[in-house]
Amino acid sequence: MKIEYDVVIIGAGASGLMCAAQAGKRGRRVKVLDHGPKPGRKILMSGGGRCNFTNRRVSAQNYISSNPHFAKSALSRYRPQDFIALVRQYGISFSEREHGQLFCTGSAGQILEMLLAECRSAGVCLAFKTSVSSIERQASVRGFRICTAGESIEASSLVIATGGVSMPAAGATSFGYKVAGQFGIPVVRPRPGLVPFTLHPEDKTVLAPLAGISVKALVCTGSASFKEQLLFTHRGLSGPVILQASSFWQPGAPLTIDLFPDGNLEDLLETEQQTRPKRHVKSVLTEHLPTRLVQARLNEKLLDSPLHAISRQGLKNVADEIHTWNIQPGGTEGYRTAEVTVGGIDCRGFSSKTMESRDVPGLYAIGEVLDVTGWLGGYNFQWAWSSAWAAGQVV
Ligand code: FDA
């Protein structure tokens, strides 16, 4: 059966639904195809079920891309306040957490329901459990033929909104990269981002007793550094600061971790040495840090020494063990648990204003499938909304 639409969008996730609603509102006949049984599965999982749907302070600097300027235009045309206005229009209550992150007070399902309501009112047709078997460019007209098991659809615009490859259990596939390959569009090598680190066996043994401990830490890798909570787990290192660093980490590179980033332990120890010289090193450190963590970083003999028995250099060495911990992760937990994919369809061949391919007119890519990856904190959804909105005005 041959059917005609103006726009076919592959992927009913955050960006696909947003783009569909925008294009539908302009009177375009829109069909969204998704291989999964239901839409927006990652939206439902996001933000611990509360969806960190945007961030009050968004700029292109919060994104990783081979083309760092690419995200600027879309982010400035559809801003966090535009999405917040939509959320308010639907009466969804939300709250602000640290670093300007906005979360639903109720559930992530409200954001998905809002997007579906927008699609319904715009007359968008949604099809689930529908896999695309082939895509052909129509030579005669400016358009595409998209074949599924039951249909052959013709559309003048084709939007790839299939997301990254993280979390295959939530329906992620490399379909978007394959479509790019079909049309000769390069893909920047994908890798897992916002993902916990695993440890080499020797570090794992030493750190195993720390599982469950969470401390504020400054983590540096390459030229990137973040200060947030670090969580020791049974598998390795996690928590917001580790997820942030993971998106910048290169395999084999070390992490430098400051476990007491808001203070100066050397000064603190010296002051204590002068005022209360009989105190033990351990009792000073455990005033500020969890005992198990202190025990894992320093040897028992040193910890049990009175401060007066330690030289100035000795105190500096103690402080360094906490302030400058160098560790080389064994790897990451990979796509199974990664929240995002760093890399993706190379955006250098796309218009930053419309998300349309320069070489394949009528072909668009939006959201995480592109080589634009946000930090942790609502930036990835904002990119999904902004890039989808930009394409939605022109498809
Ligand atoms: P998205 O992944 O949303 O949608 C892609 C769609 O394409 C899916 O419906 C999928 O089924 C479909 N698809 C894939 N392959 C297909 C194929 N071959 N054929 C047809 N359909 C196909 N971000 C944020 O800003 N704040 C947050 O709180 C969180 N939290 C979070 C938690 C967890 C657990 C994860 C995994 C991710 C997050 N994220 C996040 C990231 C955020 O979810 C992500 O960046 C956006 O959903 C990306 O939107 P897209 O529309 O690009 O892809």
Side-chain angles (χ1 to χ4, degrees):
M1 193 168 62
K2 192 180 107 181
I3 309 166
E4 275 183 35
Y5 281 90
D6 297 314
V7 185
V8 163
I9 299 174
I10 307 180
S15 63
L17 294 174
M18 182 71 172
C19 182
Q22 293 303 319
K25 279 183 199 171
R26 289 175 38 242
R28 306 291 279 160
R29 295 166 301 159
V30 183
K31 178 134 186 171
V32 184
L33 309 174
D34 200 295
H35 71 148
K38 49 188 184 177
R41 282 186 282 175
K42 284 192 182 169
I43 297 176
L44 293 176
M45 301 165 81
S46 67
R50 294 236 152 78
C51 188
N52 177 196
F53 56 82
T54 191
N55 193 295
R56 287 227 186 258
R57 296 179 287 278
V58 171
S59 83
Q61 284 168 353
N62 302 115
Y63 295 86
I64 304 164
S65 173
S66 308
N67 180 355
H69 300 295
F70 184 79
K72 279 184 185 166
S73 170
L75 290 173
S76 68
R77 288 168 64 224
Y78 190 83
R79 300 156 306 161
Q81 46 268 54
D82 297 314
F83 194 76
I84 293 167
L86 183 64
V87 166
R88 286 211 167 100
Q89 191 189 314
Y90 277 78
I92 300 171
S93 61
F94 59 90
S95 58
E96 182 169 342
R97 298 195 194 162
E98 55 183 359
H99 309 300
Q101 303 170 55
L102 301 187
F103 285 78
C104 294
T105 332
S107 82
Q110 293 173 289
I111 297 294
L112 178 58
E113 278 313 313
M114 176 188 84
L115 294 169
L116 291 172
E118 286 282 286
C119 284
R120 273 194 299 276
S121 71
V124 171
C125 175
L126 298 169
F128 302 107
K129 295 185 181 167
T130 305
S131 294
V132 173
S133 47
S134 69
I135 294 171
E136 275 171 42
R137 191 138 174 245
Q138 305 278 78
S140 50
V141 285
R142 181 188 186 273
F144 301 85
R145 176 179 294 129
I146 299 111
C147 293
T148 68
E151 287 179 337
S152 167
I153 310 169
E154 287 187 358
S156 52
S157 296
L158 173 62
V159 183
I160 306 302
T162 45
V165 289
S166 302
M167 291 220 180
T173 70
S174 58
F175 181 84
Y177 308 155
K178 287 183 192 139
V179 175
Q182 177 184 338
F183 291 107
I185 299 168
V187 172
V188 176
R189 196 175 62 81
R191 59 189 164 89
L194 300 182
V195 63
F197 285 123
T198 55
L199 299 170
H200 290 294
E202 56 277 20
D203 289 325
K204 201 172 172 187
T205 309
V206 175
L207 299 176
L210 305 189
I213 289 179
S214 170
V215 287
K216 195 177 200 186
L218 176 76
V219 176
C220 306
T221 181
S223 58
S225 67
F226 291 93
K227 187 163 74 173
E228 285 185 63
Q229 288 301 115
L230 181 153
L231 175 69
F232 293 90
T233 70
H234 289 291
R235 287 196 290 262
L237 301 176
S238 189
V241 76
I242 290 297
L243 301 187
Q244 298 280 33
S246 71
S247 296
F248 292 84
W249 181 73
Q250 297 297 334
L255 301 177
T256 304
I257 303 179
D258 182 348
L259 294 164
F260 190 56
D262 291 332
N264 184 327
L265 272 185
E266 194 181 343
D267 286 355
L268 231 140
L269 288 162
E270 276 180 18
T271 310
E272 285 293 318
Q273 192 182 45
Q274 281 155 22
T275 51
R276 294 193 281 175
K278 286 187 185 158
R279 276 193 91 185
H280 289 183
V281 172
K282 187 173 171 180
S283 89
V284 179
L285 295 184
T286 54
E287 247 174 43
H288 305 281
L289 291 158
T291 307
R292 280 186 284 154
L293 175 58
V294 169
Q295 286 169 330
R297 294 297 305 136
L298 291 147
N299 72 56
E300 205 62 32
K301 194 167 163 240
L302 186 61
L303 286 173
D304 289 337
S305 307
L307 290 167
H308 66 75
I310 303 175
S311 67
R312 232 175 176 194
Q313 183 59 43
L315 291 185
K316 185 180 181 311
N317 293 347
V318 169
D320 283 350
E321 286 298 314
I322 302 293
H323 282 304
T324 317
W325 174 30
N326 290 308
I327 181 164
Q328 190 181 343
T332 73
E333 288 186 5
Y335 290 123
R336 187 180 60 81
T337 60
E339 280 193 19
V340 290
T341 304
V342 184
I345 297 180
D346 195 334
C347 37
R348 282 172 286 205
F350 286 75
S351 156
S352 62
K353 210 167 164 220
T354 63
M355 307 293 137
E356 184 176 17
S357 162
R358 292 191 207 285
D359 298 327
V360 189
L363 180 69
Y364 297 77
I366 56 174
E368 203 185 306
V369 77
L370 280 168
D371 172 32
V372 176
T373 310
W375 293 5
L376 187 75
Y379 301 103
N380 284 295
F381 278 135
Q382 186 56 47
W383 171 245
W385 318 137
S386 296
S387 58
W389 186 90
Q393 309 312 305
V394 292
V395 283

